[in-house]
Short mmCIF file of all heavy atoms in Angstrom, two decimals:
data_model
loop_
_atom_site.label_atom_id
_atom_site.label_comp_id
_atom_site.label_asym_id
_atom_site.label_seq_id
_atom_site.Cartn_x
_atom_site.Cartn_y
_atom_site.Cartn_z
N ILE A 955 -16.36 -1.02 -3.18
CA ILE A 955 -15.84 -1.42 -1.87
C ILE A 955 -16.13 -2.89 -1.62
O ILE A 955 -15.25 -3.64 -1.15
CB ILE A 955 -16.45 -0.54 -0.76
CG1 ILE A 955 -15.93 0.89 -0.86
CG2 ILE A 955 -16.14 -1.12 0.62
CD1 ILE A 955 -16.59 1.85 0.11
N GLU A 956 -17.33 -3.33 -1.96
CA GLU A 956 -17.70 -4.74 -1.78
C GLU A 956 -16.79 -5.65 -2.60
O GLU A 956 -16.27 -6.65 -2.09
CB GLU A 956 -19.15 -4.94 -2.19
CG GLU A 956 -19.66 -6.36 -2.02
CD GLU A 956 -21.12 -6.48 -2.44
OE1 GLU A 956 -21.43 -6.21 -3.62
OE2 GLU A 956 -21.94 -6.85 -1.58
N GLU A 957 -16.58 -5.31 -3.85
CA GLU A 957 -15.77 -6.16 -4.72
C GLU A 957 -14.28 -6.10 -4.37
O GLU A 957 -13.54 -7.03 -4.69
CB GLU A 957 -15.99 -5.76 -6.18
CG GLU A 957 -17.40 -6.08 -6.69
CD GLU A 957 -17.58 -5.79 -8.17
OE1 GLU A 957 -16.61 -5.30 -8.81
OE2 GLU A 957 -18.68 -6.05 -8.70
N SER A 958 -13.86 -5.03 -3.73
CA SER A 958 -12.43 -4.91 -3.36
C SER A 958 -12.06 -5.88 -2.26
O SER A 958 -10.88 -6.25 -2.13
CB SER A 958 -12.13 -3.49 -2.89
OG SER A 958 -12.61 -3.26 -1.57
N GLU A 959 -13.05 -6.26 -1.44
CA GLU A 959 -12.86 -7.17 -0.30
C GLU A 959 -11.90 -6.60 0.74
O GLU A 959 -11.33 -7.33 1.55
CB GLU A 959 -12.37 -8.54 -0.79
CG GLU A 959 -13.38 -9.25 -1.70
CD GLU A 959 -12.94 -10.64 -2.10
OE1 GLU A 959 -11.78 -11.00 -1.85
OE2 GLU A 959 -13.79 -11.38 -2.64
N ILE A 960 -11.71 -5.29 0.74
CA ILE A 960 -10.90 -4.63 1.77
C ILE A 960 -11.77 -4.44 3.00
O ILE A 960 -12.92 -4.00 2.89
CB ILE A 960 -10.36 -3.28 1.27
CG1 ILE A 960 -9.39 -3.50 0.10
CG2 ILE A 960 -9.66 -2.51 2.38
CD1 ILE A 960 -8.96 -2.24 -0.59
N PRO A 961 -11.29 -4.76 4.19
CA PRO A 961 -12.10 -4.61 5.40
C PRO A 961 -12.65 -3.20 5.54
O PRO A 961 -11.95 -2.22 5.27
CB PRO A 961 -11.12 -4.96 6.53
CG PRO A 961 -10.11 -5.86 5.88
CD PRO A 961 -9.96 -5.34 4.48
N ARG A 962 -13.89 -3.09 5.98
CA ARG A 962 -14.56 -1.80 6.11
C ARG A 962 -13.77 -0.84 6.98
O ARG A 962 -13.69 0.36 6.68
CB ARG A 962 -15.96 -2.01 6.72
CG ARG A 962 -16.66 -0.72 7.16
CD ARG A 962 -16.99 0.15 5.95
NE ARG A 962 -17.60 1.42 6.33
CZ ARG A 962 -16.93 2.56 6.47
NH1 ARG A 962 -15.61 2.60 6.31
NH2 ARG A 962 -17.57 3.68 6.78
N ASN A 963 -13.16 -1.32 8.06
CA ASN A 963 -12.48 -0.42 8.97
C ASN A 963 -11.17 0.13 8.41
O ASN A 963 -10.50 0.95 9.06
CB ASN A 963 -12.23 -1.09 10.33
CG ASN A 963 -11.32 -2.32 10.23
OD1 ASN A 963 -10.77 -2.63 9.18
ND2 ASN A 963 -11.19 -3.02 11.35
N GLN A 964 -10.81 -0.30 7.20
CA GLN A 964 -9.61 0.23 6.55
C GLN A 964 -9.93 1.28 5.49
O GLN A 964 -9.03 1.81 4.86
CB GLN A 964 -8.81 -0.91 5.91
CG GLN A 964 -8.22 -1.89 6.92
CD GLN A 964 -7.40 -2.98 6.26
OE1 GLN A 964 -6.95 -2.83 5.12
NE2 GLN A 964 -7.18 -4.07 6.97
N ILE A 965 -11.22 1.58 5.31
CA ILE A 965 -11.63 2.53 4.28
C ILE A 965 -12.42 3.66 4.93
O ILE A 965 -13.34 3.43 5.71
CB ILE A 965 -12.50 1.86 3.20
CG1 ILE A 965 -11.71 0.71 2.54
CG2 ILE A 965 -12.92 2.87 2.13
CD1 ILE A 965 -12.52 -0.08 1.53
N PHE A 966 -12.06 4.90 4.61
CA PHE A 966 -12.72 6.09 5.13
C PHE A 966 -13.68 6.59 4.05
O PHE A 966 -13.26 6.92 2.94
CB PHE A 966 -11.67 7.16 5.45
CG PHE A 966 -12.20 8.34 6.23
CD1 PHE A 966 -12.02 8.41 7.60
CD2 PHE A 966 -12.87 9.37 5.59
CE1 PHE A 966 -12.50 9.50 8.33
CE2 PHE A 966 -13.34 10.46 6.30
CZ PHE A 966 -13.16 10.53 7.68
N VAL A 967 -14.96 6.65 4.36
CA VAL A 967 -15.98 7.03 3.37
C VAL A 967 -16.66 8.33 3.78
O VAL A 967 -17.15 8.46 4.91
CB VAL A 967 -17.04 5.92 3.22
CG1 VAL A 967 -18.11 6.35 2.22
CG2 VAL A 967 -16.39 4.61 2.77
N THR A 968 -16.66 9.27 2.86
CA THR A 968 -17.38 10.54 3.04
C THR A 968 -18.54 10.60 2.07
O THR A 968 -18.37 10.29 0.88
CB THR A 968 -16.45 11.74 2.75
OG1 THR A 968 -15.38 11.76 3.69
CG2 THR A 968 -17.22 13.05 2.84
N THR A 969 -19.72 10.98 2.56
CA THR A 969 -20.81 11.31 1.65
C THR A 969 -21.49 12.57 2.16
O THR A 969 -21.15 13.10 3.23
CB THR A 969 -21.80 10.15 1.46
OG1 THR A 969 -22.64 10.45 0.32
CG2 THR A 969 -22.68 9.93 2.68
N LYS A 970 -22.46 13.08 1.37
CA LYS A 970 -23.04 14.39 1.65
C LYS A 970 -24.54 14.37 1.42
O LYS A 970 -25.03 13.61 0.58
CB LYS A 970 -22.39 15.46 0.75
CG LYS A 970 -20.88 15.38 0.67
CD LYS A 970 -20.30 16.37 -0.32
CE LYS A 970 -18.84 16.08 -0.61
NZ LYS A 970 -18.68 14.88 -1.46
N VAL A 971 -25.22 15.27 2.12
CA VAL A 971 -26.67 15.39 1.98
C VAL A 971 -27.01 16.79 1.49
O VAL A 971 -26.44 17.78 1.95
CB VAL A 971 -27.39 15.11 3.32
CG1 VAL A 971 -26.91 16.03 4.44
CG2 VAL A 971 -28.90 15.23 3.15
N TRP A 972 -27.89 16.88 0.53
CA TRP A 972 -28.48 18.16 0.17
C TRP A 972 -29.89 18.03 -0.39
O TRP A 972 -30.82 18.58 0.19
CB TRP A 972 -27.63 18.98 -0.80
CG TRP A 972 -28.27 20.33 -0.98
CD1 TRP A 972 -28.20 21.38 -0.11
CD2 TRP A 972 -29.12 20.76 -2.05
NE1 TRP A 972 -28.95 22.43 -0.56
CE2 TRP A 972 -29.53 22.09 -1.76
CE3 TRP A 972 -29.58 20.15 -3.22
CZ2 TRP A 972 -30.36 22.80 -2.60
CZ3 TRP A 972 -30.42 20.88 -4.05
CH2 TRP A 972 -30.79 22.19 -3.74
N PRO A 973 -30.10 17.29 -1.48
CA PRO A 973 -31.48 17.25 -1.99
C PRO A 973 -32.49 16.86 -0.92
O PRO A 973 -33.60 17.38 -0.90
CB PRO A 973 -31.40 16.21 -3.11
CG PRO A 973 -29.99 16.29 -3.59
CD PRO A 973 -29.19 16.52 -2.33
N HIS A 974 -32.07 15.97 0.00
CA HIS A 974 -32.99 15.48 1.03
C HIS A 974 -32.58 15.98 2.41
O HIS A 974 -32.75 15.28 3.41
CB HIS A 974 -33.08 13.96 0.98
CG HIS A 974 -33.62 13.45 -0.32
ND1 HIS A 974 -32.82 12.92 -1.30
CD2 HIS A 974 -34.89 13.43 -0.81
CE1 HIS A 974 -33.58 12.57 -2.34
NE2 HIS A 974 -34.83 12.88 -2.06
N ILE A 975 -32.08 17.21 2.46
CA ILE A 975 -31.64 17.79 3.72
C ILE A 975 -32.79 17.94 4.70
O ILE A 975 -32.59 18.04 5.91
CB ILE A 975 -30.96 19.16 3.47
CG1 ILE A 975 -30.36 19.74 4.76
CG2 ILE A 975 -31.94 20.15 2.83
CD1 ILE A 975 -29.24 18.94 5.33
N GLY A 976 -34.02 17.93 4.21
CA GLY A 976 -35.18 18.06 5.09
C GLY A 976 -35.31 16.95 6.10
O GLY A 976 -35.94 17.12 7.15
N ASP A 977 -34.69 15.79 5.83
CA ASP A 977 -34.72 14.65 6.75
C ASP A 977 -33.35 13.97 6.69
O ASP A 977 -33.19 12.95 6.01
CB ASP A 977 -35.83 13.69 6.37
CG ASP A 977 -36.07 12.60 7.42
OD1 ASP A 977 -35.18 12.40 8.28
OD2 ASP A 977 -37.13 11.96 7.38
N PRO A 978 -32.35 14.53 7.38
CA PRO A 978 -30.98 13.99 7.29
C PRO A 978 -30.87 12.51 7.65
O PRO A 978 -30.09 11.79 7.02
CB PRO A 978 -30.20 14.86 8.28
CG PRO A 978 -30.94 16.15 8.31
CD PRO A 978 -32.40 15.75 8.20
N LYS A 979 -31.63 12.05 8.62
CA LYS A 979 -31.52 10.64 9.01
C LYS A 979 -32.01 9.73 7.88
O LYS A 979 -31.34 8.75 7.53
CB LYS A 979 -32.30 10.35 10.29
CG LYS A 979 -32.16 8.90 10.74
CD LYS A 979 -32.82 8.65 12.09
CE LYS A 979 -32.61 7.20 12.53
NZ LYS A 979 -33.22 6.94 13.86
N LYS A 980 -33.15 10.04 7.32
CA LYS A 980 -33.67 9.23 6.22
C LYS A 980 -32.72 9.29 5.03
O LYS A 980 -32.45 8.27 4.38
CB LYS A 980 -35.06 9.72 5.81
CG LYS A 980 -35.67 8.91 4.67
CD LYS A 980 -37.05 9.42 4.30
CE LYS A 980 -37.63 8.62 3.13
NZ LYS A 980 -38.96 9.15 2.71
#
Side-chain angles (χ1 to χ4, degrees):
I955 291 174
E956 181 180 61
E957 292 185 358
S958 76
E959 298 184 349
I960 295 172
R962 169 66 183 97
N963 62 7
Q964 294 182 20
I965 301 176
F966 191 99
V967 178
T968 297
T969 194
K970 314 175 192 73
V971 57
W972 186 79
H974 298 102
I975 186 65
D977 190 343
K979 182 174 182 179
K980 181 180 178 183

